[in-house]
Amino acid sequence: MFAALAGIAALSGLLLSATYQVTYGIIERNREEQLRAAVFEVLPADVVEQRAFEVLPDGAVRPNEGPGAYPVVYVGYREDGTLAGVAVEASGLGYGDIIRVLYGYDPVGQTLTGFKVLESKETPGLGDRIAQRPFVDNFIGMSVPLDDAGTGLQHPIQMVKAGTASEPWEVDAISGATVSSHAVGGMLQRSTSELLPIIHAQVDQLKRKN
């Protein structure tokens, strides 16, 4: 009986491993396709092409050749080849689990152009409202200018108590879902503070498609 159970366990393990190997590639391809579609959603409507760049620890950027250890930004180009915007992924711990979002950024106007939740397990009817209007509208057209030194934001993005936002960089938290909404605000603040200065410093490199 012991040998039979051991054999069944071994066979089950092999089947699970084989299934994982077969489905992993499919899952990753689907995830990449969803991300590419989301990039077009958060960037201006005239974007016809996108290209990924990875951000190196020294602040340099280079074309992304595949999965790696460095942050990746997605640059959108118009039909005439000019840069239209940059999409950036951010993540942070929410109420239920990790939240992943994607936001678009216009380096010329220094504004956010779009916002989309990529992954969330927040509470239905409460925390999942971070993916819905009117909350997402807060980040469309939001002004996020850099400071005079170009090393950080002039005004950090801040989540405040629902109904109390009075400045352009303040966002009303969702009533009853403050943890989820504050998680979004925190991840956007960290991401924009870290990556927007690099995007500006390397904008000439990002403009080059070839």
Side-chain angles (χ1 to χ4, degrees):
M1 182 179 293
F2 178 79
L5 289 174
I8 292 172
L11 179 60
S12 298
L14 288 173
L15 288 174
L16 286 172
S17 177
T19 300
Y20 175 80
Q21 293 296 328
V22 171
T23 59
Y24 178 79
I26 297 174
I27 293 171
E28 284 301 302
R29 285 194 296 274
N30 288 340
R31 182 171 178 172
E32 290 174 5
E33 291 175 3
Q34 292 172 354
L35 180 56
R36 285 184 57 83
V39 168
F40 283 113
E41 287 185 48
V42 301
L43 293 180
D46 58 352
V47 170
V48 298
E49 184 181 350
Q50 60 177 268
R51 187 177 183 188
F53 290 81
E54 57 184 0
V55 180
L56 304 181
D58 62 358
V61 296
R62 68 185 181 191
N64 181 43
E65 303 298 339
Y70 303 124
V72 175
V73 297
Y74 305 88
V75 182
Y77 301 96
R78 302 181 182 91
E79 190 171 359
D80 62 2
T82 57
L83 186 152
V86 181
V88 184
E89 187 174 342
S91 62
L93 183 62
Y95 181 79
D97 204 338
I98 295 296
I99 300 171
R100 292 175 52 238
V101 305
L102 187 75
Y103 64 92
Y105 175 67
D106 171 17
V108 177
Q110 298 192 54
T111 58
L112 301 187
T113 59
F115 174 87
K116 183 177 179 64
V117 175
L118 300 175
E119 181 180 342
S120 171
K121 296 179 182 178
E122 300 304 275
T123 307
L126 289 174
D128 66 349
R129 289 160 61 192
I130 59 173
Q132 304 168 10
R133 301 181 66 182
F135 184 72
V136 299
D137 293 337
N138 287 294
F139 308 106
I140 300 175
M142 172 181 280
S143 179
V144 283
L146 297 183
D147 56 27
D148 292 338
T151 58
L153 296 187
Q154 191 176 101
H155 301 289
I157 297 173
Q158 295 181 351
M159 303 300 299
V160 296
K161 185 177 179 181
T164 65
S166 59
E167 302 290 350
W169 56 88
E170 294 180 339
V171 179
D172 285 323
I174 300 172
S175 180
T178 55
V179 173
S180 301
S181 45
H182 276 273
V184 170
M187 70 180 74
L188 283 179
Q189 167 57 24
R190 290 189 298 273
S191 178
T192 53
S193 296
E194 177 183 353
L195 293 176
L196 298 196
I198 295 175
I199 290 172
H200 273 270
Q202 300 293 337
V203 70
D204 288 338
Q205 178 69 21
L206 298 176
K207 287 179 180 177
R208 301 173 190 157
K209 294 199 299 180
N210 300 314

